[in-house]
Amino acid sequence: MERLLSVGTPSVFSCPDCGGVLFELKDGDTVRYRCHTGHAFSLRSLASTQEQVTDEALWTGLRALHEKEAMLRHLAAAQIGDPRGLLEEADELATVSEKLRRLTEKAPAPRGFVRGN
Ligand SMILES: [Zn+2]
């Protein structure tokens, strides 16, 4: 880490591979990012990796909401807790899930961004 501080500055980005702080390293007009464990990115590869990580996080969140909704419906069916309250919460989750799914499916790649570079 001390070596990175001597050659770069901490950026506002975290490493998509390990979650560590990414340091910004400038070499003329070229900017690169590196974390303390050695993961390294160009600006393009960082953008591409962040897009993948964001997509995965959104779909993971969506899956978790669906599973929670299903669990609430199972609890209500088993008469555990307040079935009416559980079903209301499940319905609210279904509404939120649907909105999130629509946003996730239509989220465009950043303008001018070409995947895979
Ligand atoms: Zn890393």
Side-chain angles (χ1 to χ4, degrees):
M1 178 98 70
E2 290 178 17
R3 184 182 172 282
L4 282 173
L5 280 170
S6 69
V7 295
T9 56
S11 75
V12 297
F13 304 114
S14 60
C15 177
D17 290 336
C18 71
V21 173
L22 281 177
F23 285 76
E24 187 174 293
L25 311 171
K26 291 185 178 174
D27 183 16
D29 291 338
T30 303
V31 177
R32 299 193 65 78
Y33 296 90
R34 179 167 293 210
C35 73
H36 67 285
T37 59
H39 298 119
F41 304 88
S42 67
L43 189 56
R44 274 188 181 271
S45 67
L46 179 60
S48 176
T49 304
Q50 276 193 333
E51 185 180 359
Q52 292 172 346
V53 169
T54 302
D55 281 352
E56 289 172 13
L58 287 170
W59 287 107
T60 298
L62 196 54
R63 186 172 54 248
L65 289 174
H66 280 246
E67 288 180 11
K68 184 172 182 182
E69 176 195 346
M71 179 56 70
L72 291 170
R73 294 189 191 286
H74 277 72
L75 288 170
Q79 301 288 316
I80 297 173
D82 170 24
R84 180 187 290 178
L86 292 167
L87 290 174
E88 286 176 5
E89 188 177 348
D91 289 344
E92 289 174 18
L93 278 177
T95 300
V96 170
S97 294
E98 180 58 23
K99 288 178 182 172
L100 180 58
R101 188 188 61 75
R102 287 186 193 156
L103 288 171
T104 301
E105 287 179 348
K106 75 178 183 183
R111 180 175 289 199
F113 178 74
V114 179
R115 291 177 190 222
N117 289 335

